[in-house]
Amino acid sequence: MTGFERLKEQVKDQEDKALLQTVEYLLSREDMEQKYLNEEKTIEEMAKFIKDKARKYMRNGWNYITNEVVYAWAIMYFSLPNSFLKIEKKDADKSKNKTKTSSKKASSKNNVVSLEKAKENMEKKKETAQISLFGGVA
């Protein structure tokens, strides 16, 4: 399997046009093909990385980021190791599970949920199986 085939496989049933546009750009970069074979890198994680970067530039609920900047972040994601980008995939998943169980225990005691927990719960409910680069439902 080539790097390009791996990317195409990951976006096979994807409908998010922004994500598909970004992947189309990645596929045009022949110099990056070997980097797409890195098993620790996925399109889903790339989208999350880009969303996290974009949140820093959000003002009043709006983002004004050009395609070129998004493409640069996508290249950065595939070019640099996760440790350098401060991406902790497996450890983060474990800590999320611990947080879920502890929040369930806390909420069952007095039915009062902190504002932060409520926001987290709302974000989790908004998540769908469809990946979107710019948040919201695709």
Side-chain angles (χ1 to χ4, degrees), residues 91-108:
D91 293 335
D93 292 344
K94 289 179 184 177
S95 66
K96 284 181 185 178
N97 290 337
K98 289 180 182 177
T99 306
K100 286 180 185 178
T101 57
S102 64
S103 65
K104 286 180 183 177
K105 290 177 185 177
S107 63
S108 65

Side-chain angles (χ1 to χ4, degrees), residues 37 51 84 94 125 138:
L37 291 171
K51 280 194 258 183
F84 184 81
K94 289 179 184 177
K125 288 179 183 178

Side-chain angles (χ1 to χ4, degrees), residues 15-88:
E15 294 177 7
D16 182 356
K17 291 181 184 191
L19 182 61
L20 290 172
Q21 206 173 30
T22 303
V23 171
E24 186 177 314
Y25 171 76
L26 292 173
L27 292 171
S28 73
R29 294 286 306 262
E30 292 183 22
D31 60 319
M32 295 288 296
E33 181 180 8
Q34 290 301 312
K35 298 195 184 279
Y36 303 148
L37 291 171
N38 185 346
E39 291 295 323
E40 77 174 349
K41 304 289 186 173
T42 65
I43 294 296
E44 185 176 352
E45 286 294 319
M46 178 201 72
K48 183 180 180 305
F49 174 75
I50 292 172
K51 280 194 258 183
D52 290 344
K53 299 278 287 174
R55 280 191 188 102
K56 295 176 186 174
Y57 297 95
M58 186 179 286
R59 299 289 180 260
N60 298 324
W62 290 88
N63 252 335
Y64 299 98
I65 299 172
T66 63
N67 288 352
E68 290 76 18
V69 172
V70 172
Y71 298 157
W73 287 339
I75 293 295
M76 180 190 307
Y77 171 79
F78 279 102
S79 297
L80 300 171
N82 284 356
S83 59
F84 184 81
L85 297 173
K86 298 179 181 170
I87 298 173
E88 299 175 11

